[in-house]
Structure formats: C-alpha cells, structure tokens
Amino acid sequence: MKRKDNNNEKAPFKLERGSKRQKAAYRVTKNQIKEPMKNIKAECPWNLVPKEGDPNNKGRKYTVSVAIPGSVIEIAQSAELRTYLAGEIARAVTIFEVDEVIIYNEDPTRTMENTTSGVYEGSNKPSDPNIFLARILQYLETPSYLRKLLFPVHKDLQYTGLLNPLDAPHHMRLDETSLYREGVTIDKPVKQGAGSFVTCGLRKDVKIDKHIKPGVRVTVELDLDLIQSGDNVKNYKGKVVSPRQPREKHGLYWGYQIRLAKSISDVFKQSSFGSKANYDLTIGISDHGDNAYTTCSKLLSSKNNDDSNDNDDDDDNDDIKNNIPSTFNHLLIVFGGQGGIENAVEVDENIKINRNDTRSLFDLYLNTCPYKGSRAIRLEEQILITMSTLKTLIQQKGAN
C-alpha cells in the first residue's frame, strides 16, 4: 500500500527520463536552436565565376613551396594526435596559399617509398611517418565528393573524420556556381572519340572533350551558360584544363601538390612545376638564422631608401638585396624538425658541408620567431608564424 501524505500536499512533478514531456521539451529546444541557423550562410570570399578583363581577377604566376620533415609526426603519442597534427599542417599551408608541400626524409636509416598509393591489407607494421603525413595531406586537399573514388580504405585515414575541413576554393558545395571544378573520370559508355564523362560533385555528370581512362582526377572548365540556362539536359559539358589555370589566369588558389624527397638534398633537385622550373629564391627557417623582422623590413623599405643619406643603412640593404633576385617565379621555404635544418644537413651524405655552414644552401636564412616565451616552437606553429611574417615580402617579390 502507498503511504499517505499527512500534509495532503501534492508531490512535486518529476520529469522521468524518456517521458513524453521530456521529449517534447527537447524537440522545442532543438528547433529553437536550429531555426536561427537556417538563415546564416557563410559568404564565399572568392569570385568563382571570374570574367575576362576584370582588373580584380589578376592571375598569379609565381608559386610558393614549403618543405617539411615527415619525422614531425613521430612527436605525437597516438594515431589520433598524429592525424590531428597532419590536419593542422594542412590548414596552415592552405590558409597561406602554398602551392607545393615537399615532405623530406631526415632519417638515413629509413628507406622511403616514392608513392602514397596502395590498398591497406591489414598489416600491423607501423606506417612510415613521411608516407603517413603525405597521405593525410593528399586526402584533405581532395574535395570531399571525390574522396571515396580516389582513396581506398586505409589505416592511416582512420581518424580523418576528426579533422577540420580545409574549405579551399576548389572544395565546392553541391549547388555552388563556379567556372572550374575538380572531378574524376568515370567508367560510363561513350562513343569512340567523343570524350569521357566526369563526376564533379554536381547533380549531373560532365562530358569532357578528351578521352581519359576512368579514375583519373582532372580540372574541368565548365560550360556555365548550359548549366545556368535551366534546360533539361542529360549531362553538362566542359573541357579539361591544367590545374594551374585557375591560379595563373584568375588568381584562384587551387590547392597544393605533394612531393616526396628521400633527403633534404633532393628537395632542391626537383619540382612539381616542370623539369625547367627551378627554385629561384630559397629561404631556410632556423633558430640560428637572421632576425626575419629586421631582414624583411630592410627588403620592403629598400625602394623608399634609394634617396636616403644614411650610407650605413644603404650598405646593409645592398648586402641583403644582392642575396636575392628582384623577383622570383618559384619560392622554396624549408623547415627543420626537432634538430633543425642543421641536423638534416648533417646526416645527408649528398651534402658535403659542415652543419654550421647550413646557411650557405639558402638565399636567406631566417629566424622568424626570435622573441619567444616557449622553449620550442612546434612545426604547425612555425609555419603560421613564418608565412605571416613573409606574406608581404612574397606578394611584393612574386613575379606576375
């Protein structure tokens, strides 16, 4: 029997878990939160439909490359942290519009592969940190609607769902209008000599002008007149162009390329921009380098000091100016690991100089964080600091 309440007072209402009132209250609260969010849309900061002759859409001819050691991944204690570290590096190079990321091996005892391709077959062997970093960077650079077509299931990609998206210009939404899109050729029947079909993240496939085997990533210039006409067409049309065209013709950043180097000496020997594209300005980042703020200030103010009477300042500026070209086409910025660039140079058998002479390999040897409150600066932090410091210099010296 139930015990009677002597005071004849009703017991306070108790909201039981899973009750109808609780569920109804949850739905109301959820809808109140979601309703204002419907009207919030992130504005696109780029003009994805550039027009010919528009002065605001100038092309960018110069390129920026960044070289980093894959060993930085080994600092993290777990697979989740290693993945997150790679994601932070990808975000940093994307924010500052880096066109090429070179991952070099600084461990001479490790034999590094030259490719990140291959299907994961259940091996429990630890992954090569260089390959691991390259694979994560490639995965994040690829638009989300193409990843399942280009990346098989792999252990290295297990925790990529934790990472922040890059949101680069070539990462399009479904209904976003753009002159260019990244796509992958698909195995769809087509008449001989009539081109190929490409999936570009649109509601319909795109028919291109060239025959390319299925599974190849391509950059497509779309026929926007056909797409925007509203006609009930079976497929859209476009043509294959170089992935450099959005940048060179309209100044649109179109992601980065990945290159693997077996040692730091191999960083200087090749380029992703062709056999004749040599790096005409190289910058090394080291704690033993010159003060970056002072050096950049002298380089940026050199034009204004031509008429100055301060001979000492003029001599200092001339010394710095003689080390670098007036303009560059391909810039290379090299970062070191825990032991710095000097450690990578010391263990490289192809470099016959002392580690104390490392600055002789570069046009500029800079310390971009001379005043710091921490004993060590992590690589992902160093990239952000360095690119922020050099941004104005890059824009002024870059050849267009």
Side-chain angles (χ1 to χ4, degrees):
M1 296 179 63
K2 295 183 179 180
R3 188 173 61 181
K4 293 183 179 180
D5 190 354
N6 295 329
N7 297 329
N8 294 325
E9 294 180 358
K10 292 183 179 181
F13 172 75
K14 183 178 180 181
L15 188 64
E16 298 178 1
R17 186 177 182 181
S19 66
K20 292 182 178 180
R21 289 193 181 187
Q22 185 184 35
K23 292 177 180 178
Y26 172 75
R27 284 196 298 270
V28 171
T29 306
K30 183 180 179 181
N31 292 335
Q32 288 175 345
I33 295 173
K34 291 178 66 178
E35 190 65 31
M37 300 298 292
K38 291 181 179 179
N39 299 323
I40 299 177
K41 294 183 179 180
E43 295 184 1
C44 180
W46 314 285
N47 181 12
L48 298 177
V49 190
K51 297 179 180 179
E52 294 290 342
D54 188 347
N56 296 323
N57 293 312
K58 295 181 180 180
R60 174 168 68 87
K61 301 294 184 182
Y62 68 88
T63 65
V64 178
S65 300
V66 164
I68 57 178
S71 61
V72 297
I73 291 297
E74 296 179 313
I75 300 173
Q77 291 85 6
S78 66
E80 293 93 332
L81 291 176
R82 286 192 290 271
T83 303
Y84 190 78
L85 174 57
E88 291 297 286
I89 294 173
R91 285 280 302 172
V93 298
T94 301
I95 289 171
F96 289 98
E97 300 184 337
V98 172
D99 303 295
E100 180 190 33
V101 179
I102 308 161
I103 300 171
Y104 66 89
N105 177 33
E106 60 175 1
D107 184 357
T109 63
R110 178 184 289 122
T111 302
M112 192 178 71
E113 302 176 19
N114 288 324
T115 178
T116 59
S117 63
V119 180
Y120 176 62
E121 298 177 348
S123 173
N124 291 322
K125 295 180 181 180
S127 177
D128 185 329
N130 304 288
I131 305 300
F132 178 89
L133 178 57
R135 184 175 283 116
I136 298 292
L137 293 183
Q138 277 186 338
Y139 181 85
L140 289 177
E141 190 275 336
T142 304
S144 58
Y145 57 85
L146 298 180
R147 290 172 182 169
K148 287 185 178 180
L149 298 173
L150 294 174
F151 291 89
V153 175
H154 199 285
K155 185 178 180 181
D156 289 350
L157 304 176
Q158 183 177 2
Y159 299 106
T160 51
L162 302 172
L163 304 182
N164 298 314
L166 300 189
D167 262 346
H170 63 298
H171 289 203
M172 307 290 178
R173 275 63 170 174
L174 177 62
D175 294 317
E176 198 165 21
T177 302
S178 175
L179 179 60
Y180 302 99
R181 268 186 179 262
E182 289 295 287
V184 171
T185 53
I186 56 177
D187 189 8
K188 191 173 182 180
V190 64
K191 293 181 181 179
Q192 187 174 2
S196 306
F197 283 100
V198 178
T199 176
C200 293
L202 295 168
R203 298 186 183 276
K204 299 177 182 179
D205 294 332
V206 180
K207 189 175 182 181
I208 57 175
D209 54 336
K210 295 181 179 180
H211 177 70
I212 303 174
K213 65 178 182 179
V216 177
R217 178 175 168 177
V218 293
T219 303
V220 179
E221 183 178 347
L222 298 169
D223 184 353
L224 292 182
D225 294 335
L226 178 61
I227 296 175
Q228 296 174 344
S229 64
D231 296 340
N232 188 19
V233 293
K234 189 175 181 180
N235 299 291
Y236 296 139
K237 292 183 179 180
K239 61 179 181 180
V240 177
V241 297
S242 168
R244 303 172 195 170
Q245 182 168 314
R247 169 180 57 83
E248 294 180 348
K249 194 172 181 180
H250 304 290
L252 278 173
Y253 176 62
W254 213 247
Y256 52 79
Q257 299 182 30
I258 298 293
R259 179 162 69 87
L260 293 168
K262 294 183 179 180
S263 63
I264 193 170
S265 59
D266 287 343
V267 170
F268 303 91
K269 294 179 181 179
Q270 302 174 355
S271 170
S272 299
F273 310 107
S275 57
K276 297 181 180 180
N278 298 320
Y279 301 110
D280 45 4
L281 177 57
T282 56
I283 301 177
I285 307 301
S286 170
D287 289 342
H288 305 289
D290 302 324
N291 188 313
Y293 300 102
T294 304
T295 303
C296 290
S297 177
K298 291 179 179 179
L299 288 170
L300 292 172
S301 61
S302 59
K303 292 183 179 180
N304 299 327
N305 290 337
D306 290 340
D307 299 328
S308 174
N309 294 326
D310 192 341
N311 295 329
D312 292 337
D313 288 345
D314 287 344
D315 293 340
D316 292 341
N317 291 346
D318 289 340
D319 291 339
I320 298 174
K321 287 169 62 178
N322 290 335
N323 291 335
I324 67 171
S326 57
T327 59
F328 69 84
N329 293 303
H330 303 288
L331 167 64
L332 173 63
I333 304 174
V334 181
F335 295 88
Q338 284 186 299
I341 301 177
E342 296 83 4
N343 183 64
V345 169
E346 187 176 30
V347 299
D348 193 330
E349 297 178 353
N350 297 321
I351 300 179
K352 306 299 181 181
I353 63 172
N354 188 280
R355 63 177 292 149
N356 297 326
D357 298 325
T358 301
R359 67 167 56 238
S360 63
L361 297 173
F362 303 94
D363 298 316
L364 292 174
Y365 202 54
L366 303 177
N367 181 359
T368 53
C369 192
Y371 315 111
K372 56 188 178 184
S374 177
R375 183 170 297 163
I377 304 296
R378 296 171 62 90
L379 178 65
E380 66 273 25
E381 300 165 342
Q382 187 72 270
I383 293 174
L384 292 171
I385 295 170
T386 298
M387 300 308 295
S388 298
T389 305
L390 301 179
K391 185 67 174 178
T392 305
L393 181 66
I394 292 171
Q395 290 178 335
Q396 188 182 90
K397 296 292 184 181
N400 284 319

